[in-house]
Amino acid sequence: GLKQAGVNTIIMTLWEVEAKMSACLVEEFYRALSRPGATKREAFREARRKARENYPTLDWAAYIMLD
């Protein structure tokens, strides 16, 4: 439905994740995306890497990006 409504990119989880890890991932995503020349994909990979470093659970793996 979101794609049909015109949303270009969706970042979502495949299962329920810890709120603190989720906040970390989103903050890191926007931090990386704000760098000059950064792409959405690069920012997403960087955010998942940072979340993986800071949180030992596999919650970071629940996040996917749909273009």
Side-chain angles (χ1 to χ4, degrees), residues 1-10 40 65-67:
L2 290 172
K3 287 295 205 176
Q4 289 177 339
V7 174
N8 292 327
T9 304
I10 301 168
K40 291 182 289 189
M65 177 184 278
L66 302 173
D67 275 329

Side-chain angles (χ1 to χ4, degrees), residues 5-27:
V7 174
N8 292 327
T9 304
I10 301 168
I11 295 177
M12 60 183 276
T13 63
L14 298 174
W15 59 83
E16 190 174 333
V17 297
E18 180 185 340
K20 287 182 181 181
M21 193 285 311
S22 186
C24 170
L25 188 133
V26 171
E27 288 172 12

Side-chain angles (χ1 to χ4, degrees), residues 1-66:
L2 290 172
K3 287 295 205 176
Q4 289 177 339
V7 174
N8 292 327
T9 304
I10 301 168
I11 295 177
M12 60 183 276
T13 63
L14 298 174
W15 59 83
E16 190 174 333
V17 297
E18 180 185 340
K20 287 182 181 181
M21 193 285 311
S22 186
C24 170
L25 188 133
V26 171
E27 288 172 12
E28 291 298 335
F29 174 73
Y30 282 107
R31 184 175 291 122
L33 191 58
S34 69
R35 293 186 190 119
T39 67
K40 291 182 289 189
R41 287 278 168 201
E42 291 169 343
F44 186 65
R45 280 193 300 270
E46 177 68 14
R48 282 178 38 137
R49 186 185 66 75
K50 292 271 186 163
R52 186 173 58 239
E53 287 175 3
N54 293 323
Y55 294 89
T57 67
L58 287 178
D59 282 350
W60 61 269
Y63 278 87
I64 61 171
M65 177 184 278
L66 302 173

